[in-house]
Amino acid sequence: MGVTEQGPEPFGPFLLLETLGSGGMGSVYLARHLDRPGFLVVKRLHASLLTDGTIFKRFVHEAEVASHVLHDNVACLVAMGRVDNEPFLAMEHVYGVPLSLIIHRVQTSQSDAIQLPIALHMSIELASAIEAIHEARHRETGAPLGLLHRDVGARNVLVGFDGQVKLIDLGLGKSILSDWQTNFEVIAGSPDYMAPEQAMGGEVDARADVYAAAVTIWELIAGRKRIQEDTVAARIQAAVAAQPEELLIYRKEASPRLEAILKNAMAYDPDQRTASARTLRLTLQEEFDELNTKVSHDEVKAWLDGSCATLIAKERRRLEAAREHVVEGERSSEAEVTQLYVGTI
């Protein structure tokens, strides 16, 4: 039974309600666990890839990585396992909107620019999320994992309707847990946010995530996309040639120091770039402290309520419609379920 064409699909202990997206590796669904309240996001590997050893390892690696990262600003893994030998991931569902959509609304004058203190507060939360990923340790041995995200960007940053920022999608993450390699002909990640060395297919380290975070923060504060070319090839070319961006021409109330912080984090040469997400967070925090103000999640929520009311209403209607499809006890009773990891489910 297809989710989008014929209604909800039972999948082991889940009911898949709606297709949220589909990519090269698999599909992502809005789902319910039939014995638990609330929504989840379930990822399934494409059936044609189940026998591809490298792709399978990447999929399992995402779950292994996510199970070691516990932070308020990182969407958490709820469970991983297999249904009839098909692997799945179940992740926290974030009730909110992608930062990319907010930036688009500001750029097209559908929403007012985010007040600078609120934008800085959100930026600090994003930097904190990346810091948590980079500093993640094995939950049993305590050994550093050397984890990278490798796909930081506005579409992978969700702003919750409760005002909290959440970084999602560790599918391209790399750590010492992995024993696969991305094909050298494939450039993994979104070119709009790639550091030049990543766009050229070179080796990357944590500084590439710092670069991508700085681009995302620049877009949030400037209220516009940085790379706006139409084709993937043109976007990659722009990423390879990109130089640190001016900020003050788009946001006059920003300080020269804030512009310098982002320029340093967007340095073309990794050796000249801000060295860590922790350093980026601390410098952004210092800049925020200079404003001598406080921002809470309630204030972020208030901005969203005022500027994105139609989006919030649309999402609420969508989730209410999804709830109507849930029938207590409906499940694929014949499916053999193997639970490999359970978090908060």
Side-chain angles (χ1 to χ4, degrees):
M1 183 161 50
V3 177
T4 55
E5 296 180 0
Q6 300 181 36
E9 176 186 355
F11 179 66
F14 306 103
L15 192 63
L16 308 183
L17 303 171
E18 178 184 338
T19 304
L20 299 177
S22 185
M25 283 180 60
S27 296
V28 182
Y29 303 91
L30 179 70
R32 292 285 297 268
H33 189 286
L34 294 169
D35 296 329
R36 305 284 178 170
F39 292 100
L40 299 168
V41 174
V42 170
K43 297 186 178 185
R44 298 172 66 181
L45 193 64
H46 289 317
S48 61
L49 299 176
L50 290 174
T51 58
D52 186 316
T54 298
I55 297 296
F56 182 83
K57 287 177 182 178
R58 280 182 60 179
F59 189 86
V60 173
H61 177 251
E62 177 180 1
E64 291 176 335
V65 163
S67 71
H68 291 81
V69 180
L70 299 175
H71 191 272
D72 288 343
N73 299 120
V74 180
C76 69
L77 176 74
V78 175
M80 62 177 283
R82 300 173 190 258
V83 172
D84 285 340
N85 209 36
E86 178 186 342
F88 72 84
L89 310 181
M91 306 292 295
E92 169 188 8
H93 172 260
V94 180
Y95 179 43
V97 293
L99 183 57
S100 55
L101 183 54
I102 293 174
I103 293 166
H104 173 74
R105 287 177 62 86
V106 172
Q107 184 168 356
T108 56
S109 301
Q110 298 177 64
S111 298
D112 294 333
I114 304 175
Q115 297 96 315
L116 186 59
I118 293 177
L120 273 172
H121 169 85
M122 294 166 64
S123 301
I124 292 166
E125 291 204 329
L126 172 57
S128 296
I130 299 169
E131 179 184 359
I133 291 170
H134 290 175
E135 297 187 359
R137 291 176 175 270
H138 195 284
R139 62 179 179 274
E140 295 176 359
T141 68
L145 293 176
L147 176 60
L148 311 179
H149 188 286
R150 299 204 302 172
D151 197 17
V152 175
R155 66 181 174 84
N156 280 335
V157 177
L158 298 183
V159 183
F161 292 141
D162 61 357
Q164 188 169 49
V165 169
K166 293 273 190 178
L167 182 61
I168 65 170
D169 201 354
L170 291 171
L172 292 175
K174 187 175 182 181
S175 78
I176 59 173
L177 290 174
S178 63
D179 59 356
W180 50 268
Q181 291 185 338
T182 303
N183 187 298
F184 71 92
E185 295 179 348
V186 177
I187 296 181
S190 171
D192 297 5
Y193 302 91
M194 284 182 183
E197 66 272 18
Q198 186 175 0
M200 289 186 285
E203 288 291 323
V204 299
D205 57 26
R207 294 171 295 183
D209 282 349
V210 170
Y211 182 100
V215 173
T216 305
I217 293 167
W218 183 93
E219 291 185 346
L220 168 63
I221 296 173
R224 59 184 287 111
K225 282 281 294 176
R226 181 191 187 215
I227 291 178
Q228 303 191 46
E229 280 75 6
D230 292 331
T231 68
V232 173
R235 288 156 59 200
I236 291 174
Q237 186 175 9
V240 169
Q243 295 294 324
E245 296 282 355
E246 304 289 333
L247 178 65
L248 300 183
I249 59 175
Y250 300 111
R251 199 66 185 257
K252 291 181 172 57
E253 70 269 34
S255 70
R257 184 175 183 270
L258 177 57
E259 183 177 72
I261 289 170
L262 295 182
K263 280 188 171 183
N264 288 340
M266 285 190 280
Y268 188 91
D269 182 351
D271 290 336
Q272 301 300 317
R273 193 178 302 155
T274 303
S276 69
R278 176 179 174 81
T279 299
L280 177 61
R281 176 183 62 81
L282 291 173
T283 53
L284 289 171
Q285 185 66 57
E286 290 172 0
E287 180 66 15
F288 179 83
D289 292 343
E290 286 293 318
L291 299 178
N292 197 28
T293 188
K294 293 184 179 181
V295 173
S296 67
H297 290 146
D298 285 343
E299 287 165 292
V300 180
K301 179 181 181 299
W303 182 87
L304 285 172
D305 288 344
S307 298
C308 302
T310 55
L311 292 178
I312 295 172
K314 181 179 179 180
E315 179 71 0
R316 184 175 290 117
R317 289 194 299 270
R318 185 176 72 86
L319 294 179
E320 286 299 327
R323 283 191 184 95
E324 293 176 2
H325 289 300
V326 180
V327 178
E328 185 65 30
E330 183 178 358
R331 66 176 68 239
S332 177
S333 58
E334 298 83 9
E336 179 182 347
V337 181
T338 304
Q339 201 79 356
L340 302 181
Y341 170 84
V342 178
T344 58
I345 201 167

Short mmCIF file of all heavy atoms in Angstrom, two decimals, residues 147-201:
data_model
loop_
_atom_site.label_atom_id
_atom_site.label_comp_id
_atom_site.label_asym_id
_atom_site.label_seq_id
_atom_site.Cartn_x
_atom_site.Cartn_y
_atom_site.Cartn_z
N LEU A 147 33.42 12.83 14.65
CA LEU A 147 32.25 12.90 13.77
C LEU A 147 32.16 14.22 13.03
O LEU A 147 32.39 15.29 13.60
CB LEU A 147 30.99 12.68 14.61
CG LEU A 147 29.63 12.79 13.92
CD1 LEU A 147 29.54 11.77 12.80
CD2 LEU A 147 28.53 12.60 14.93
N LEU A 148 31.78 14.14 11.75
CA LEU A 148 31.45 15.31 10.93
C LEU A 148 30.01 15.17 10.48
O LEU A 148 29.50 14.07 10.34
CB LEU A 148 32.35 15.39 9.70
CG LEU A 148 33.86 15.26 9.88
CD1 LEU A 148 34.57 15.35 8.52
CD2 LEU A 148 34.38 16.32 10.82
N HIS A 149 29.35 16.30 10.20
CA HIS A 149 28.00 16.26 9.65
C HIS A 149 28.06 16.21 8.12
O HIS A 149 27.42 15.39 7.49
CB HIS A 149 27.20 17.48 10.12
CG HIS A 149 25.75 17.42 9.74
ND1 HIS A 149 25.30 17.62 8.46
CD2 HIS A 149 24.64 17.18 10.49
CE1 HIS A 149 23.98 17.51 8.42
NE2 HIS A 149 23.56 17.23 9.65
N ARG A 150 28.79 17.13 7.52
CA ARG A 150 29.07 17.20 6.07
C ARG A 150 27.88 17.65 5.22
O ARG A 150 27.99 17.73 4.01
CB ARG A 150 29.59 15.87 5.53
CG ARG A 150 30.90 15.43 6.16
CD ARG A 150 31.68 14.51 5.27
NE ARG A 150 30.92 13.32 4.93
CZ ARG A 150 31.32 12.42 4.02
NH1 ARG A 150 32.45 12.61 3.38
NH2 ARG A 150 30.59 11.34 3.78
N ASP A 151 26.73 17.96 5.85
CA ASP A 151 25.61 18.49 5.07
C ASP A 151 24.86 19.54 5.88
O ASP A 151 23.63 19.60 5.87
CB ASP A 151 24.67 17.36 4.64
CG ASP A 151 23.73 17.78 3.50
OD1 ASP A 151 24.02 18.80 2.84
OD2 ASP A 151 22.72 17.09 3.28
N VAL A 152 25.61 20.39 6.59
CA VAL A 152 25.00 21.50 7.31
C VAL A 152 24.49 22.50 6.28
O VAL A 152 25.17 22.81 5.31
CB VAL A 152 26.02 22.17 8.25
CG1 VAL A 152 25.40 23.41 8.91
CG2 VAL A 152 26.51 21.18 9.31
N GLY A 153 23.30 22.98 6.47
CA GLY A 153 22.71 23.96 5.57
C GLY A 153 21.32 24.32 6.04
O GLY A 153 20.74 23.64 6.90
N ALA A 154 20.76 25.37 5.47
CA ALA A 154 19.49 25.90 5.96
C ALA A 154 18.35 24.89 5.85
O ALA A 154 17.43 24.89 6.66
CB ALA A 154 19.13 27.19 5.22
N ARG A 155 18.40 23.99 4.86
CA ARG A 155 17.31 23.02 4.72
C ARG A 155 17.40 21.93 5.79
O ARG A 155 16.42 21.22 6.04
CB ARG A 155 17.32 22.40 3.32
CG ARG A 155 18.53 21.53 3.02
CD ARG A 155 18.49 20.98 1.61
NE ARG A 155 19.71 20.26 1.25
CZ ARG A 155 19.93 18.99 1.55
NH1 ARG A 155 19.03 18.30 2.20
NH2 ARG A 155 21.07 18.41 1.18
N ASN A 156 18.56 21.76 6.41
CA ASN A 156 18.72 20.76 7.47
C ASN A 156 18.70 21.38 8.86
O ASN A 156 19.07 20.73 9.84
CB ASN A 156 20.01 19.97 7.27
CG ASN A 156 19.85 18.88 6.23
OD1 ASN A 156 18.75 18.41 5.98
ND2 ASN A 156 20.95 18.50 5.59
N VAL A 157 18.27 22.63 8.93
CA VAL A 157 18.07 23.29 10.22
C VAL A 157 16.58 23.58 10.36
O VAL A 157 16.01 24.30 9.54
CB VAL A 157 18.87 24.60 10.32
CG1 VAL A 157 18.59 25.31 11.65
CG2 VAL A 157 20.36 24.34 10.16
N LEU A 158 15.94 22.97 11.34
CA LEU A 158 14.52 23.19 11.57
C LEU A 158 14.35 24.14 12.75
O LEU A 158 15.02 24.00 13.78
CB LEU A 158 13.81 21.88 11.86
CG LEU A 158 13.83 20.83 10.74
CD1 LEU A 158 13.02 19.60 11.14
CD2 LEU A 158 13.30 21.40 9.44
N VAL A 159 13.46 25.09 12.58
CA VAL A 159 13.11 26.01 13.66
C VAL A 159 11.76 25.54 14.20
O VAL A 159 10.73 25.63 13.52
CB VAL A 159 13.03 27.46 13.17
CG1 VAL A 159 12.74 28.40 14.34
CG2 VAL A 159 14.33 27.86 12.48
N GLY A 160 11.78 25.00 15.39
CA GLY A 160 10.57 24.46 15.98
C GLY A 160 9.58 25.55 16.31
O GLY A 160 9.95 26.69 16.62
N PHE A 161 8.30 25.22 16.24
CA PHE A 161 7.27 26.19 16.60
C PHE A 161 7.27 26.45 18.11
O PHE A 161 6.51 27.29 18.58
CB PHE A 161 5.90 25.71 16.12
CG PHE A 161 5.78 25.70 14.61
CD1 PHE A 161 5.12 24.68 13.97
CD2 PHE A 161 6.35 26.71 13.85
CE1 PHE A 161 5.01 24.67 12.58
CE2 PHE A 161 6.25 26.71 12.47
CZ PHE A 161 5.58 25.69 11.83
N ASP A 162 8.12 25.73 18.85
CA ASP A 162 8.35 26.05 20.26
C ASP A 162 9.53 26.99 20.42
O ASP A 162 9.89 27.36 21.53
CB ASP A 162 8.59 24.77 21.06
CG ASP A 162 9.83 23.99 20.59
OD1 ASP A 162 10.47 24.41 19.60
OD2 ASP A 162 10.15 22.96 21.21
N GLY A 163 10.17 27.38 19.29
CA GLY A 163 11.26 28.35 19.32
C GLY A 163 12.64 27.75 19.39
O GLY A 163 13.63 28.48 19.44
N GLN A 164 12.75 26.43 19.38
CA GLN A 164 14.06 25.78 19.49
C GLN A 164 14.58 25.35 18.13
O GLN A 164 13.85 24.85 17.30
CB GLN A 164 13.98 24.56 20.41
CG GLN A 164 15.33 23.95 20.74
CD GLN A 164 15.22 22.91 21.85
OE1 GLN A 164 14.38 22.03 21.81
NE2 GLN A 164 16.07 23.03 22.85
N VAL A 165 15.89 25.56 17.91
CA VAL A 165 16.55 25.16 16.68
C VAL A 165 16.99 23.70 16.79
O VAL A 165 17.51 23.28 17.82
CB VAL A 165 17.78 26.06 16.40
CG1 VAL A 165 18.64 25.52 15.28
CG2 VAL A 165 17.32 27.48 16.07
N LYS A 166 16.78 22.94 15.71
CA LYS A 166 17.19 21.53 15.68
C LYS A 166 17.92 21.26 14.36
O LYS A 166 17.42 21.56 13.29
CB LYS A 166 15.98 20.60 15.74
CG LYS A 166 15.22 20.63 17.05
CD LYS A 166 15.80 19.66 18.07
CE LYS A 166 14.88 19.53 19.27
NZ LYS A 166 15.40 18.55 20.25
N LEU A 167 19.11 20.68 14.47
CA LEU A 167 19.86 20.23 13.30
C LEU A 167 19.47 18.79 13.02
O LEU A 167 19.43 17.96 13.93
CB LEU A 167 21.36 20.33 13.56
CG LEU A 167 22.31 19.94 12.42
CD1 LEU A 167 22.12 20.82 11.20
CD2 LEU A 167 23.76 20.01 12.90
N ILE A 168 19.18 18.48 11.76
CA ILE A 168 18.73 17.14 11.39
C ILE A 168 19.67 16.53 10.37
O ILE A 168 20.56 17.19 9.85
CB ILE A 168 17.29 17.16 10.83
CG1 ILE A 168 17.24 17.94 9.49
CG2 ILE A 168 16.32 17.73 11.83
CD1 ILE A 168 15.92 17.82 8.76
N ASP A 169 19.45 15.26 10.07
CA ASP A 169 20.04 14.53 8.95
C ASP A 169 21.55 14.33 9.06
O ASP A 169 22.34 15.10 8.52
CB ASP A 169 19.70 15.20 7.62
CG ASP A 169 19.85 14.22 6.46
OD1 ASP A 169 20.32 13.08 6.68
OD2 ASP A 169 19.50 14.58 5.33
N LEU A 170 21.91 13.25 9.72
CA LEU A 170 23.32 12.86 9.81
C LEU A 170 23.68 11.83 8.74
O LEU A 170 24.66 11.12 8.85
CB LEU A 170 23.63 12.28 11.19
CG LEU A 170 23.59 13.29 12.34
CD1 LEU A 170 23.70 12.58 13.68
CD2 LEU A 170 24.67 14.33 12.20
N GLY A 171 22.86 11.75 7.69
CA GLY A 171 23.05 10.71 6.69
C GLY A 171 24.37 10.77 5.95
O GLY A 171 24.84 9.76 5.43
N LEU A 172 24.99 11.95 5.89
CA LEU A 172 26.30 12.06 5.24
C LEU A 172 27.41 12.15 6.26
O LEU A 172 28.58 12.35 5.90
CB LEU A 172 26.33 13.31 4.34
CG LEU A 172 25.42 13.25 3.11
CD1 LEU A 172 25.45 14.58 2.38
CD2 LEU A 172 25.82 12.13 2.18
N GLY A 173 27.05 11.99 7.53
CA GLY A 173 28.05 12.08 8.57
C GLY A 173 29.17 11.06 8.41
O GLY A 173 28.99 9.99 7.84
N LYS A 174 30.33 11.40 8.91
CA LYS A 174 31.47 10.50 8.83
C LYS A 174 32.16 10.48 10.19
O LYS A 174 32.32 11.51 10.83
CB LYS A 174 32.45 10.97 7.75
CG LYS A 174 33.60 9.99 7.49
CD LYS A 174 34.45 10.48 6.34
CE LYS A 174 35.56 9.47 6.04
NZ LYS A 174 36.43 9.92 4.93
N SER A 175 32.54 9.31 10.63
CA SER A 175 33.22 9.18 11.91
C SER A 175 34.14 7.98 11.88
O SER A 175 34.21 7.25 10.89
CB SER A 175 32.18 9.01 13.04
OG SER A 175 31.70 7.68 13.05
N ILE A 176 34.82 7.74 12.99
CA ILE A 176 35.70 6.58 13.07
C ILE A 176 34.90 5.28 13.13
O ILE A 176 35.47 4.21 13.01
CB ILE A 176 36.63 6.67 14.29
CG1 ILE A 176 35.82 6.76 15.60
CG2 ILE A 176 37.58 7.84 14.17
CD1 ILE A 176 36.68 6.68 16.85
N LEU A 177 33.56 5.39 13.28
CA LEU A 177 32.73 4.18 13.24
C LEU A 177 32.59 3.64 11.83
O LEU A 177 32.25 2.47 11.64
CB LEU A 177 31.33 4.50 13.78
CG LEU A 177 31.20 4.78 15.27
CD1 LEU A 177 29.77 5.21 15.58
CD2 LEU A 177 31.57 3.57 16.09
N SER A 178 32.80 4.49 10.82
CA SER A 178 32.49 4.09 9.44
C SER A 178 33.64 3.33 8.82
O SER A 178 34.80 3.57 9.10
CB SER A 178 32.17 5.33 8.59
OG SER A 178 33.29 6.17 8.50
N ASP A 179 33.27 2.38 7.93
CA ASP A 179 34.29 1.67 7.17
C ASP A 179 33.94 1.67 5.69
O ASP A 179 34.32 0.80 4.94
CB ASP A 179 34.45 0.23 7.67
CG ASP A 179 33.16 -0.57 7.58
OD1 ASP A 179 32.13 0.00 7.19
OD2 ASP A 179 33.20 -1.78 7.88
N TRP A 180 33.16 2.70 5.28
CA TRP A 180 32.84 2.87 3.87
C TRP A 180 33.42 4.21 3.41
O TRP A 180 33.76 5.07 4.21
CB TRP A 180 31.32 2.87 3.64
CG TRP A 180 30.59 3.81 4.54
CD1 TRP A 180 30.05 3.52 5.76
CD2 TRP A 180 30.37 5.20 4.33
NE1 TRP A 180 29.49 4.64 6.33
CE2 TRP A 180 29.67 5.69 5.48
CE3 TRP A 180 30.68 6.09 3.32
CZ2 TRP A 180 29.27 7.02 5.61
CZ3 TRP A 180 30.29 7.41 3.45
CH2 TRP A 180 29.60 7.87 4.58
N GLN A 181 33.50 4.39 2.13
CA GLN A 181 33.98 5.65 1.57
C GLN A 181 33.02 6.11 0.49
O GLN A 181 32.50 5.31 -0.28
CB GLN A 181 35.38 5.50 0.96
CG GLN A 181 36.46 5.27 2.00
CD GLN A 181 37.83 5.25 1.35
OE1 GLN A 181 37.96 5.01 0.17
NE2 GLN A 181 38.83 5.49 2.14
N THR A 182 32.77 7.43 0.43
CA THR A 182 31.96 7.98 -0.63
C THR A 182 32.71 7.87 -1.94
O THR A 182 33.90 8.18 -2.02
CB THR A 182 31.64 9.46 -0.34
OG1 THR A 182 30.98 9.53 0.92
CG2 THR A 182 30.73 10.05 -1.40
N ASN A 183 32.03 7.46 -2.99
CA ASN A 183 32.65 7.37 -4.32
C ASN A 183 33.26 8.72 -4.69
O ASN A 183 32.65 9.77 -4.51
CB ASN A 183 31.58 6.98 -5.34
CG ASN A 183 32.18 6.71 -6.71
OD1 ASN A 183 32.76 7.58 -7.33
ND2 ASN A 183 32.02 5.48 -7.16
N PHE A 184 34.47 8.72 -5.22
CA PHE A 184 35.18 9.96 -5.49
C PHE A 184 34.49 10.79 -6.56
O PHE A 184 34.74 11.99 -6.69
CB PHE A 184 36.64 9.68 -5.91
CG PHE A 184 36.78 9.06 -7.28
CD1 PHE A 184 36.95 9.86 -8.40
CD2 PHE A 184 36.73 7.69 -7.44
CE1 PHE A 184 37.10 9.29 -9.65
CE2 PHE A 184 36.86 7.11 -8.69
CZ PHE A 184 37.04 7.91 -9.81
N GLU A 185 33.60 10.19 -7.35
CA GLU A 185 32.90 10.93 -8.38
C GLU A 185 31.64 11.61 -7.85
O GLU A 185 30.98 12.36 -8.55
CB GLU A 185 32.53 10.00 -9.55
CG GLU A 185 33.74 9.43 -10.28
CD GLU A 185 33.33 8.49 -11.40
OE1 GLU A 185 32.14 8.11 -11.44
OE2 GLU A 185 34.20 8.14 -12.21
N VAL A 186 31.28 11.33 -6.62
CA VAL A 186 30.07 11.88 -6.03
C VAL A 186 30.45 12.94 -5.02
O VAL A 186 31.26 12.70 -4.13
CB VAL A 186 29.24 10.77 -5.33
CG1 VAL A 186 28.01 11.38 -4.66
CG2 VAL A 186 28.83 9.72 -6.35
N ILE A 187 29.88 14.13 -5.17
CA ILE A 187 30.09 15.18 -4.19
C ILE A 187 28.91 15.16 -3.24
O ILE A 187 27.77 15.42 -3.63
CB ILE A 187 30.23 16.56 -4.86
CG1 ILE A 187 31.48 16.58 -5.74
CG2 ILE A 187 30.29 17.66 -3.81
CD1 ILE A 187 31.72 17.90 -6.43
N ALA A 188 29.15 14.79 -1.99
CA ALA A 188 28.08 14.60 -1.02
C ALA A 188 27.76 15.92 -0.33
O ALA A 188 28.64 16.64 0.11
CB ALA A 188 28.50 13.56 0.01
N GLY A 189 26.46 16.21 -0.23
CA GLY A 189 26.03 17.42 0.44
C GLY A 189 25.45 18.45 -0.52
O GLY A 189 25.40 18.25 -1.72
N SER A 190 24.98 19.56 0.05
CA SER A 190 24.40 20.64 -0.75
C SER A 190 25.49 21.63 -1.15
O SER A 190 26.17 22.19 -0.28
CB SER A 190 23.32 21.37 0.05
OG SER A 190 22.89 22.52 -0.64
N PRO A 191 25.67 21.88 -2.45
CA PRO A 191 26.75 22.78 -2.87
C PRO A 191 26.58 24.21 -2.37
O PRO A 191 27.55 24.96 -2.27
CB PRO A 191 26.69 22.72 -4.41
CG PRO A 191 25.34 22.20 -4.73
CD PRO A 191 24.96 21.31 -3.60
N ASP A 192 25.35 24.62 -2.04
CA ASP A 192 25.11 25.98 -1.59
C ASP A 192 25.88 26.32 -0.32
O ASP A 192 26.13 27.49 -0.03
CB ASP A 192 23.62 26.19 -1.32
CG ASP A 192 22.78 26.04 -2.57
OD1 ASP A 192 23.34 25.68 -3.63
OD2 ASP A 192 21.56 26.26 -2.51
N TYR A 193 26.24 25.31 0.46
CA TYR A 193 26.87 25.54 1.77
C TYR A 193 28.26 24.91 1.88
O TYR A 193 28.88 25.01 2.93
CB TYR A 193 25.96 25.01 2.88
CG TYR A 193 24.60 25.65 2.84
CD1 TYR A 193 23.56 25.08 2.11
CD2 TYR A 193 24.37 26.87 3.48
CE1 TYR A 193 22.31 25.71 2.03
CE2 TYR A 193 23.14 27.49 3.41
CZ TYR A 193 22.11 26.91 2.68
OH TYR A 193 20.89 27.53 2.60
N MET A 194 28.72 24.29 0.82
CA MET A 194 29.99 23.57 0.87
C MET A 194 31.19 24.50 0.97
O MET A 194 31.27 25.51 0.28
CB MET A 194 30.16 22.72 -0.38
CG MET A 194 29.35 21.46 -0.41
SD MET A 194 29.72 20.57 -1.94
CE MET A 194 28.59 19.21 -1.76
N ALA A 195 32.14 24.10 1.80
CA ALA A 195 33.45 24.73 1.77
C ALA A 195 34.09 24.44 0.42
O ALA A 195 33.81 23.41 -0.19
CB ALA A 195 34.31 24.20 2.91
N PRO A 196 34.96 25.32 -0.06
CA PRO A 196 35.57 25.09 -1.37
C PRO A 196 36.25 23.74 -1.50
O PRO A 196 36.12 23.07 -2.54
CB PRO A 196 36.58 26.24 -1.48
CG PRO A 196 35.98 27.33 -0.67
CD PRO A 196 35.32 26.64 0.49
N GLU A 197 36.95 23.30 -0.47
CA GLU A 197 37.64 22.01 -0.56
C GLU A 197 36.66 20.85 -0.69
O GLU A 197 36.94 19.85 -1.36
CB GLU A 197 38.58 21.80 0.65
CG GLU A 197 37.89 21.66 2.00
CD GLU A 197 37.65 22.97 2.72
OE1 GLU A 197 37.69 24.04 2.06
OE2 GLU A 197 37.40 22.94 3.95
N GLN A 198 35.47 20.98 -0.07
CA GLN A 198 34.46 19.94 -0.20
C GLN A 198 33.83 19.97 -1.59
O GLN A 198 33.58 18.93 -2.20
CB GLN A 198 33.38 20.11 0.87
CG GLN A 198 32.36 18.98 0.90
CD GLN A 198 31.38 19.11 2.05
OE1 GLN A 198 31.45 20.04 2.85
NE2 GLN A 198 30.45 18.18 2.15
N ALA A 199 33.57 21.18 -2.11
CA ALA A 199 32.99 21.31 -3.45
C ALA A 199 33.92 20.76 -4.52
O ALA A 199 33.46 20.30 -5.57
CB ALA A 199 32.67 22.78 -3.73
N MET A 200 35.22 20.77 -4.25
CA MET A 200 36.19 20.23 -5.21
C MET A 200 36.42 18.73 -5.01
O MET A 200 37.23 18.13 -5.68
CB MET A 200 37.52 20.99 -5.09
CG MET A 200 37.44 22.41 -5.62
SD MET A 200 39.04 23.28 -5.64
CE MET A 200 39.25 23.64 -3.90
N GLY A 201 35.69 18.13 -4.06
CA GLY A 201 35.81 16.70 -3.83
C GLY A 201 37.02 16.31 -3.01
O GLY A 201 37.42 15.14 -3.01
#
